[in-house]
Amino acid sequence: QVQLVESGGGLVQAGGSLRLSCAAAGSIFSIGTMAWYRQAPGKQRELVASITTSTSTTNYAGSVKGRFTISRDNAKTTLYLQMNSLLPEDTAIYYCNSRIGAWDYWGQGTQVTVSS
């Protein structure tokens, strides 16, 4: 199993930046992919960005490409999401995700609010 704890959310003005962190514990060396998802009020949860643990290959949703950057520390215990040029439509609860085989593990989420 994997335990995930997010931090770094908050309130920011449009055009500003935030950096989210996700601390992972447990069977971290079995993780295949880590990702950030978000869910806005009344909308479905959507993938924001992902990174593979073996090759560090990244993937981004079109709406955040060029503005957000996903990364991991060398110890592979912390996942980051650097968010620049934030827009009001980026407002959502952001969730950290890790996948081991067919199993998904989730953090509790961190609120990001972007004011116009």
Side-chain angles (χ1 to χ4, degrees), residues 9-64:
L11 173 65
V12 64
Q13 287 188 332
S17 299
L18 281 175
R19 189 192 197 200
L20 304 183
S21 299
C22 171
S27 302
I28 59 173
F29 294 102
S30 298
I31 296 173
T33 304
M34 296 193 75
W36 289 97
Y37 285 74
R38 67 186 181 187
Q39 187 166 18
K43 294 187 177 181
Q44 289 188 331
R45 190 173 297 188
E46 63 174 357
L47 175 67
V48 175
S50 65
I51 184 168
T52 62
T53 56
S54 57
T55 61
S56 295
T57 300
T58 58
N59 180 54
Y60 295 92
S63 59
V64 307

Side-chain angles (χ1 to χ4, degrees), residues 22-111:
C22 171
S27 302
I28 59 173
F29 294 102
S30 298
I31 296 173
T33 304
M34 296 193 75
W36 289 97
Y37 285 74
R38 67 186 181 187
Q39 187 166 18
K43 294 187 177 181
Q44 289 188 331
R45 190 173 297 188
E46 63 174 357
L47 175 67
V48 175
S50 65
I51 184 168
T52 62
T53 56
S54 57
T55 61
S56 295
T57 300
T58 58
N59 180 54
Y60 295 92
S63 59
V64 307
K65 196 171 293 185
R67 299 189 298 122
F68 291 10
T69 302
I70 189 171
S71 63
R72 293 179 302 125
D73 68 345
N74 289 335
K76 302 180 181 179
T77 59
T78 306
L79 180 72
Y80 301 100
L81 185 68
Q82 178 67 44
M83 305 185 294
N84 299 327
S85 303
L86 282 161
L87 304 169
E89 47 264 45
D90 295 319
T91 295
I93 300 175
Y94 284 71
Y95 296 92
C96 180
N97 166 275
S98 68
R99 176 164 290 181
I100 300 177
W103 293 97
D104 279 310
Y105 297 90
W106 298 91
Q108 81 287 353
T110 185
Q111 176 71 47

